[in-house]
Amino acid sequence: MGLTLYTAAKAAIVSFARSFSQDLLARNIRVNVLSPGIIDTPVYDKFGLSEEEATQQKIDLAAVAALKRMGKASEIGRVAVFLASEDSSFMLGSEVLADGGLSTCSGGPAGLDSVRYPHYNLLPSVALPRQVKRLKVGFASSRLHSVSSR
């Protein structure tokens, strides 16, 4: 049941971004979604695992992605900066997959063992306004949302 709710929530975020982008167009605000894959961050060190277990977990998670590695936060950051820049000015209600092929080549998070990795659902969700005046971080899904002015 957890995977069903997880994937439904992700689909809802993408759908919300598309609808919200139409609603905000008159106010010169674009909404796009950045969907990261498994990113190597310090969060994996906070689950009470030994160093050896945490390392093995990262190896297992990386094996699920088509590129056979975890992404770097800096890689996702560069995509987020792109979405917040004028370089993405023709994008509206779009989803950018920066997931190392996880969703397109690897079968997505279904390839993860939800018993061994229940915290995969806790990857952060970040909203990025165009002027980046504020940064909202939640833990509902692993989607990053870019909201930017035209």
Side-chain angles (χ1 to χ4, degrees):
M1 182 71 157
L3 187 60
T4 300
L5 297 175
Y6 176 68
T7 55
K10 285 186 165 199
I13 290 170
V14 174
S15 181
F16 174 77
R18 289 183 180 138
S19 298
F20 205 44
S21 64
Q22 292 174 3
D23 294 343
L24 295 174
L25 188 57
R27 295 175 61 190
N28 293 325
I29 297 173
R30 299 180 298 109
V31 181
N32 294 296
V33 177
L34 169 51
S35 299
I38 302 165
I39 308 303
D40 190 5
T41 68
V43 74
Y44 295 101
D45 300 327
K46 300 184 190 286
F47 293 116
L49 302 174
S50 70
E51 186 176 333
E52 183 180 293
E53 290 171 320
T55 300
Q56 186 59 50
Q57 177 183 9
K58 289 180 181 184
I59 292 168
D60 292 348
L61 290 171
V64 176
L67 293 179
K68 303 299 182 210
R69 68 175 181 87
M70 296 177 80
K72 299 174 188 166
S74 60
E75 292 172 310
I76 300 304
R78 286 192 295 272
V79 178
V81 168
F82 164 74
L83 285 174
S85 76
E86 289 302 314
D87 292 337
S88 68
S89 64
F90 198 60
M91 295 179 70
L92 178 68
S94 300
E95 178 182 17
V96 177
L97 299 172
D99 65 0
L102 180 68
S103 59
T104 56
C105 301
S106 305
L112 296 176
D113 178 348
S114 62
V115 174
R116 289 179 64 196
Y117 306 110
H119 48 272
Y120 179 77
N121 296 348
L122 299 177
L123 297 175
S125 169
V126 179
L128 289 175
R130 171 69 174 91
Q131 272 79 27
V132 194
K133 292 180 183 173
R134 58 192 161 191
L135 193 63
K136 298 179 183 178
V137 179
F139 289 92
S141 76
S142 63
R143 303 284 188 196
L144 281 84
H145 319 283
S146 167
V147 179
S148 45
S149 303
R150 279 196 300 171

